[in-house]
Amino acid sequence: MAVGLAMQAPRALATGSCRHCGEPLPAQPCLQEFEGRTHAFCCHGCAAAAEWIADADLSGYYRLRDAGGGRVGDDLPDLSVWDRDDVQAQHSRAVAGGRQITLLTDGMRCAACAWLIDRAMAREPGVVDCTANAVTGRIHLTWDPARTTLSVPLQRLAMLGYRPYLAGSEALERERIRERRRWLLRLGVAGLGTLQAMMLAEALYLDFDGSMPLATRDFFRWLAFLLSTPVVFYAGWPFIAGAIAELRQRRLGMDVLIAGSTLLAYFASLFETIRGGEHVWYDAAVMFVFLLLAARMLEQRARSVASAQVDALARARPAFATRERGDGGRETVPLAALRPGDVACVAAGESVPADGLLLDGEAWFEEALLTGESTPVRKTAGDEVFAGTVCRERPARLRVTCTGAATRLSQLTRLVEQAQAHRPALARTADRIAGRFVLFLLPVAALVFAGWWHYDASRALEVTLALLVISCPCALSLAVPAALAAAHGALARIGLLAVRSDALDTLGRATDIVFDKTGTLSDGRPVLVATEGFDIEGAQALRIAAALERDSGHPLAAAFARHGSPATQATVVQAVPGRGVQGEVDGRQWRLGRADFASGGVDDGALWLGDGTGASARFTLQERVRPDAAEAMAALRAQGLQVHLASGDGQAAVDRMAATLPLDGIHARQSPEDKLERVRALQAQGRIVAMVGDGLNDAPVLAGADVSIAMAGGASLAHRAADLVTTGGSLARIPAAVALARRTHRVIRQNLAWAAAYNLLALPLAAAGLVTPWLAALGMALSSLAVTVNALRLARGTHAGPAASFLPARSAA
């Protein structure tokens, strides 16, 4: 590695930068003298790292590297938690000479870093082997537990600026690697066997005048038999196993046709080899397996790329957390040890371990992985912070509210996994068509065999085999799943997660879209601008309102949050959808909401506090329209959608918001029943309606619409009723999702048209004897490849249509 690195021209780090990490120097840098020169560093940690590198005679690292290293910092992490038996049991494995663990680090930025890590670890007592990969950022470390604890070499890594992180469950990682290697080995065996079998087949095909001695011919055939056997029964085993499973389920699918055609070619060739017949088809059998295996691996690759965002969600949380003890000290604990109420400390650059509330000051969090937003989000004390987001700029402390499966990250991941477990109706329809095509193809193949047996018996089996191979409906079965897999990956990058399997299909056919107002078109943070008390003081009215709203989950609760008091608690709180909330405070029944609900008056758009018969206070709140709302509405209308606003608020409040937005329909004072009735009226006209909302009172209409979108941060009931859930607050992702859904429709139509045209053209050509079996295998594989490559276009970052400018920039995270 050192020789290769020496060939690279080292890039000088910027003047006035730290010698070790390359970051700008502070006003008073740390100066250290070694190797006869004085060097400047940004911190004592980087100085100590550089001094150790010089003492270990590894200074060549600074000449070889072409990027700065990771900043060490003055406070090194406590890595003793890595020595716990439960951590090592889950994330490491026993190997010859000790145990092995796979680590991640974000400080390895060039090949010189990998060179330094390998040599630094080789100098650590008890380290058996270390392999660092600068491309993947992974380190495979093997150590002898009898000579050293794991934390000792890890402490050296951290001291050099390569802070270690867990790469995930070692068992899952090993299984993923084993499965990938198994498929690659199958493909290699199939490729090698196919190449050799085709060479032998070519020699046999070129014997036009029959001058090849029979002994030589039979020798070539037996060689082809030996070469094709591992291809058919090892490389092709996934297809044979799939066929067995389909037959056990009493259905005819693609695998039955694939395995049947392969085994027919193989055993018919063996029979002809034994009896000295005129033709053998080993080349067709092995090429069929090789090409289909390559197509299936490409499909799996497409699915894995498409689901990378969902996989990233599942891996976003760290394995360890720093917990603050009662005495103010800190301890590193496994994530499972965190409990609601604990205080978690998150260093700058680290992932948040659990959902919680920010305790002090302000901090910035990068939510790109969770929400699709490319820029860090500012949070202040009391704001919610979500597991999986990355703390930026400065450290943060948070009070843990949810851990494990209860976090928003886990809930979104679970919703997506549930949706992916169900095949969309379109995919099921394609499967049914493919199954019926197989049923149609089998009697056709029998008739073709009978016809050719009567016309030219020597070609009957060859023509029938070519017919079965070339007409295999692989492209038809791949047409929909490949497109939907790529589309769902692109949808996740936009910032929406599909909770229902058919959501994207319906969204692409939508003609009308209905928006709720509060928390959907508004920013969800209404501001209290005036309080008017009648029979109670304004301050007391605010405390009562804050107590009633505290646990309601309604966006209006935020307007009263800072006016609440721990001493003022509400009991028997009940939300009345579309009208308000009621409960008991200080022994008295109160209602907060519309005037006709809270005080028996006439609704005027304000928020009233009363007992149902009289008014005690009146609150005036003001909502701010989301910054991108007007542009998003214009983009939706440009896409041909009719845009409606249906709100439970009064006419005046709705008119104020509608004045700034391009809308086709405005409806105020809408109860949940009214909203649902309006959606059903549109559906009765043959319209396909999409609904966007976020509150509890939106759940019925979200469930009743043809397709529904719940905004991030809304009530959990709304998320359960919706078909798609946004992972961020921006409305820009909705027209982008519509554009993607329509593009997916076009790709699916193209795939289905190609698959149908291919099968309709291939069937008569094969039946006429114009296609050889190996050419049939090639044609079938190319048709499958065509639909998969066409589907992968959906995974690209560019989208046509008026929503193109709305696609969030893809974050490097």
Side-chain angles (χ1 to χ4, degrees):
M1 182 181 291
V3 174
L5 290 171
M7 296 173 64
Q8 299 178 6
R11 188 182 68 186
L13 299 180
T15 304
S17 60
C18 174
R19 171 173 169 78
H20 181 71
C21 69
E23 293 192 6
L25 293 172
Q28 295 182 338
C30 177
L31 301 178
Q32 190 82 11
E33 185 174 344
F34 51 87
E35 296 181 334
R37 294 181 57 188
T38 300
H39 301 278
F41 300 92
C42 65
C43 62
H44 292 286
C46 285
E51 185 176 11
W52 185 90
I53 290 172
D55 292 343
D57 197 24
L58 296 174
S59 297
Y61 161 70
Y62 293 112
R63 295 192 305 272
L64 299 171
R65 69 181 185 175
D66 55 10
R71 186 176 186 272
V72 180
D74 292 325
D75 297 322
L76 292 177
D78 177 15
L79 300 175
S80 59
V81 70
W82 292 75
D83 297 329
R84 291 173 55 130
D85 291 338
D86 55 347
V87 172
Q88 293 189 11
Q90 183 180 2
H91 297 284
S92 69
R93 64 189 180 102
V95 295
R99 297 191 68 84
Q100 186 180 77
I101 191 169
T102 301
L103 310 170
L104 289 175
T105 180
D106 54 6
M108 192 165 24
R109 297 168 183 167
C110 66
C113 293
W115 176 85
L116 176 63
I117 290 171
D118 287 345
R119 280 150 183 78
M121 289 295 98
R123 286 165 168 75
E124 289 295 310
V127 173
V128 178
D129 184 48
C130 179
T131 305
N133 189 319
V135 177
T136 63
R138 290 175 179 254
I139 302 170
H140 298 284
L141 180 68
T142 305
W143 81 102
D144 183 359
R147 298 174 57 198
T148 183
T149 58
L150 177 60
S151 60
V152 172
L154 296 189
Q155 201 72 34
R156 177 68 65 201
L157 280 175
M159 188 272 282
L160 293 174
Y162 306 106
R163 182 170 297 192
Y165 302 95
L166 282 173
S169 169
E170 184 68 21
L172 292 176
E173 187 72 12
R174 289 200 308 271
E175 181 57 33
R176 190 160 40 242
I177 292 173
R178 274 199 301 267
E179 184 65 17
R180 184 168 63 247
R181 287 176 177 172
R182 195 179 298 125
W183 277 89
L184 286 173
L185 182 58
R186 284 196 176 104
L187 185 64
V189 169
L192 184 62
T194 299
L195 180 63
Q196 300 300 321
M198 289 297 292
M199 290 175 62
L200 294 170
E202 184 178 5
L204 294 171
Y205 286 143
L206 292 177
D207 183 28
F208 298 117
D209 55 1
S211 60
M212 181 183 292
L214 290 179
T216 304
R217 185 200 70 176
D218 291 342
F219 176 68
F220 282 177
R221 288 182 174 183
W222 282 111
L223 275 180
F225 163 74
L226 293 175
L227 289 167
S228 62
T229 298
V231 176
V232 171
F233 293 102
Y234 172 71
W237 178 251
F239 306 115
I240 297 173
I244 293 171
E246 288 177 350
L247 291 174
R248 283 176 177 171
Q249 298 168 7
R250 297 183 179 180
R251 66 184 183 89
L252 295 176
M254 268 200 317
D255 282 344
V256 169
L257 196 56
I258 294 169
S261 302
T262 304
L263 293 175
L264 175 63
Y266 175 82
F267 284 113
S269 299
L270 178 60
F271 177 74
E272 292 294 300
T273 300
I274 293 172
R275 80 178 188 92
E278 187 176 351
H279 298 290
V280 292
W281 305 277
Y282 294 116
D283 56 325
V286 294
M287 180 175 281
F288 196 32
V289 170
F290 172 67
L291 294 175
L292 270 173
L293 208 58
R296 187 157 292 189
M297 286 189 69
L298 180 63
E299 180 201 358
Q300 290 178 347
R301 174 63 178 165
R303 290 178 183 272
S304 65
V305 169
S307 61
Q309 182 82 0
V310 178
D311 292 341
L313 284 176
R315 295 193 299 265
R317 286 182 301 168
F320 304 122
T322 302
R323 183 169 61 189
E324 188 174 276
R325 296 195 299 263
D327 60 2
R330 296 183 178 183
E331 59 181 347
T332 303
V333 297
L335 204 61
L338 278 185
R339 296 289 182 270
D342 287 348
V343 175
C345 305
V346 187
E350 290 188 350
S351 296
V352 177
D355 290 358
L357 301 176
L358 192 62
L359 285 179
D360 41 27
E362 70 170 22
W364 293 81
F365 293 88
E366 186 177 289
E367 300 182 343
L369 188 64
L370 194 62
T371 68
E373 302 292 348
S374 59
T375 55
V377 178
R378 177 177 176 267
K379 304 277 187 176
T380 57
D383 285 348
E384 275 191 294
V385 180
F386 300 109
T389 59
V390 180
C391 182
R392 293 300 184 198
E393 308 298 335
R394 63 182 68 181
R397 295 167 63 247
L398 60 123
R399 178 81 62 184
V400 175
T401 56
C402 296
T403 62
T407 63
R408 181 181 175 201
L409 176 70
S410 298
Q411 290 172 351
L412 289 177
T413 304
R414 189 164 56 250
L415 288 173
V416 175
E417 288 172 348
Q418 290 171 357
Q420 290 182 338
H422 294 86
R423 290 178 64 79
L426 208 54
R428 294 195 299 270
T429 301
D431 282 348
R432 283 197 299 270
I433 294 173
R436 289 172 182 170
F437 184 80
V438 172
L439 285 174
F440 163 77
L441 185 62
L442 292 179
V444 169
L447 290 173
V448 168
F449 179 81
W452 275 93
W453 184 266
H454 177 72
Y455 175 72
D456 184 356
S458 64
R459 294 197 62 200
L461 188 59
E462 176 186 338
V463 172
T464 305
L465 182 60
L467 176 72
L468 290 172
V469 170
I470 202 170
S471 301
C472 181
C474 298
L476 184 61
S477 293
L478 282 175
V480 178
L484 290 179
H488 278 91
L491 192 70
R493 286 193 296 275
I494 290 172
L496 275 92
L497 299 177
V499 180
R500 305 283 189 272
S501 55
D502 295 314
L504 200 62
D505 173 52
T506 312
L507 183 63
R509 296 183 288 109
T511 59
D512 293 72
I513 186 164
V514 181
F515 284 88
D516 177 48
K517 182 175 75 69
T518 304
T520 302
L521 291 181
S522 68
D523 61 5
R525 297 182 179 180
V527 179
L528 182 64
V529 294
T531 301
E532 184 180 1
F534 302 127
D535 59 359
I536 58 175
E537 294 291 332
Q540 183 184 357
L542 286 170
R543 284 196 300 273
I544 295 171
L548 289 170
E549 286 281 8
R550 184 175 296 131
D551 299 319
S552 68
H554 194 275
L556 293 177
F560 296 96
R562 66 186 184 90
H563 300 288
S565 169
T568 307
Q569 299 289 331
T571 58
V572 201
V573 178
Q574 179 184 1
V576 181
R579 305 191 70 191
V581 63
Q582 61 185 13
E584 186 176 313
V585 180
D586 297 333
R588 181 177 173 184
Q589 287 290 330
W590 292 98
R591 291 185 177 186
L592 178 69
R594 289 168 39 168
D596 55 353
F597 169 71
S599 63
V602 178
D603 183 26
D604 61 351
L607 197 66
W608 290 79
L609 178 68
D611 58 5
T613 58
S616 296
R618 181 178 184 270
F619 306 104
T620 303
L621 295 98
Q622 191 173 65
E623 290 183 282
R624 293 170 294 186
V625 179
R626 292 184 188 268
D628 58 354
E631 201 171 354
M633 302 301 104
L636 289 167
R637 294 184 71 190
Q639 290 172 330
L641 287 161
Q642 296 286 312
V643 183
H644 308 266
L645 170 60
S647 173
D649 291 346
Q651 190 68 49
V654 173
D655 287 342
R656 280 196 301 271
M657 177 168 286
T660 64
L661 299 174
L663 299 168
D664 297 296
I666 304 167
H667 310 283
R669 297 190 180 92
Q670 297 286 292
S671 67
E673 293 78 12
D674 294 333
K675 293 180 183 179
L676 183 58
E677 187 60 34
R678 191 158 299 280
V679 165
R680 285 176 175 167
L682 289 170
Q683 291 170 333
Q685 300 171 21
R687 316 287 288 179
I688 297 175
V689 183
M691 175 69 196
V692 185
D694 79 323
L696 279 171
N697 59 338
D698 295 324
V701 68
L702 286 172
D706 294 291
V707 61
S708 53
I709 303 172
M711 297 297 291
S716 58
L717 178 59
H719 287 179
R720 288 195 294 270
D723 300 311
L724 299 110
V725 178
T726 69
T727 55
S730 172
L731 289 170
R733 60 198 77 230
I734 296 177
V738 172
L740 174 65
R742 292 180 175 179
R743 192 162 177 242
T744 303
H745 271 189
R746 289 197 297 273
V747 168
I748 288 175
R749 284 198 299 268
Q750 291 165 3
N751 280 356
L752 290 174
W754 163 254
Y758 164 79
N759 282 107
L760 290 174
L761 179 65
L763 190 63
L765 288 176
L770 301 176
V771 181
T772 60
W774 71 267
L775 191 60
L778 181 63
M780 180 279 310
L782 288 177
S783 70
S784 299
L785 179 65
V787 298
T788 303
V789 171
N790 191 40
L792 285 176
R793 295 190 300 118
L794 292 168
R796 294 177 183 172
T798 55
H799 294 260
S805 61
F806 283 92
L807 289 174
R810 198 176 300 176
S811 170

